[in-house]
Amino acid sequence: MQRIDVTRDDGTWAGLSLDVRDRHQPDLCVHTAGPRLLVSQLSRPVLLAVVEEPLQGVHFRRADTARALSGSPERWAHRFARYLSDSPGSPLHEGRWLLTCESPILHGRHPTTSHAEHWSSMLVEGDPDGYIDWYLHSHSWEVLPLRPMPGPGDSRVKAYRKQVREGTLPPVLLWWVSGLDCHLILDGHARLAAAIAESVEPPLLQVHRTAARDDLAAGIEDAVGAYESALARFAGLRAFHGPTVPDGAATTGPQFARLLHDLHTARQPTWS
């Protein structure tokens, strides 16, 4: 597996691109049959689900899974990348993936809502049965534990609450699954419970599929062609109208940079 750091326009770290090869069948994967979904790990059922008509949500039944760790997003991304690559129960399969701390679920809290209230509302309830409400919660903002969440009195949660207060809590590892339109907790149930108990925003790392190598190369080629055409058009206008026409690179450069960033990081549907 090849790992490449992905940076923003200003050079700050945005995520870790994972280029997985020679791993045709993931050990943690999604199976589908009509409206039914099965998440299995090493052929062991972890989660059963049925999509409700008319596509307003999904009923699920959980089985189990989890572990623990601590540090900065970059350092933890590399640690989790090794964990995902070496673990016999990983969702990774051949293709390109992104491990990132930039998750859409970090931007949905209303200023008047506490972190404890917000993250508690994000958790999909139900043990062993439950329901993911696509109508009530849009934009893939729900988080589905793969085992019952431990309570605030749990010994692991108590230990992690100390790390929360010290600012050293390891991130919670989420896997975005398009067929469920929510995030599954791969690692960090107790850490998330500790963050909720302390009413702070938990550190997160999210893993999802990104564009395949061939699709990425084609997208970059198209983007470069469009950018060069735009530069030539601005150059022609400046030659005719003079310096009143804005510089082409300054005008179209930021959009080109964002497009390249999105090509490297955009979520792709989960294989099933």
Side-chain angles (χ1 to χ4, degrees), residues 18-21 23 93-97 210-213 271:
L18 312 179
D19 193 346
V20 182
R21 302 170 189 245
R23 191 166 185 164
H93 56 75
E94 187 170 319
R96 294 182 62 257
W97 297 74
T210 55
R213 287 182 288 274
W271 276 7

Side-chain angles (χ1 to χ4, degrees), residues 62-192:
R62 184 191 295 112
D64 71 346
T65 277
R67 250 197 243 157
L69 288 165
S70 159
S72 73
E74 299 96 322
R75 210 157 47 85
W76 274 105
H78 285 275
R79 290 286 297 272
F80 276 125
R82 289 197 296 273
Y83 159 67
L84 289 167
S85 178
D86 299 339
S87 170
S90 169
L92 296 188
H93 56 75
E94 187 170 319
R96 294 182 62 257
W97 297 74
L98 183 71
L99 253 176
T100 180
C101 58
E102 295 182 341
S103 174
I105 63 176
L106 292 173
H107 309 295
R109 184 178 69 89
H110 193 275
T112 61
T113 304
S114 70
H115 286 293
E117 292 173 316
H118 174 69
W119 286 95
S120 294
S121 70
M122 299 264 286
L123 287 173
V124 179
E125 297 181 348
D127 179 33
D129 305 286
Y131 180 73
I132 301 170
D133 194 332
W134 289 342
Y135 183 76
L136 183 61
H137 293 276
S138 59
H139 309 298
S140 304
W141 280 350
E142 288 189 290
V143 176
L144 176 59
L146 288 181
R147 61 177 175 80
M149 290 290 291
D154 183 275
S155 59
R156 295 164 301 162
V157 175
K158 289 181 179 178
Y160 282 130
R161 291 183 70 170
K162 183 174 183 293
Q163 287 187 291
V164 172
R165 293 190 291 271
E166 294 170 349
T168 60
L169 184 71
V172 178
L173 179 60
L174 304 178
W175 173 34
W176 181 71
V177 177
S178 60
L180 296 170
D181 196 27
C182 76
H183 299 76
L184 305 187
I185 303 178
L186 291 182
D187 187 75
H189 292 71
R191 298 196 292 278
L192 180 54

Side-chain angles (χ1 to χ4, degrees), residues 1-17:
M1 178 176 69
Q2 183 180 13
R3 287 178 272 168
I4 302 174
D5 287 304
V6 177
T7 58
R8 304 183 185 90
D9 298 346
D10 59 4
T12 57
W13 186 85
L16 188 63
S17 176

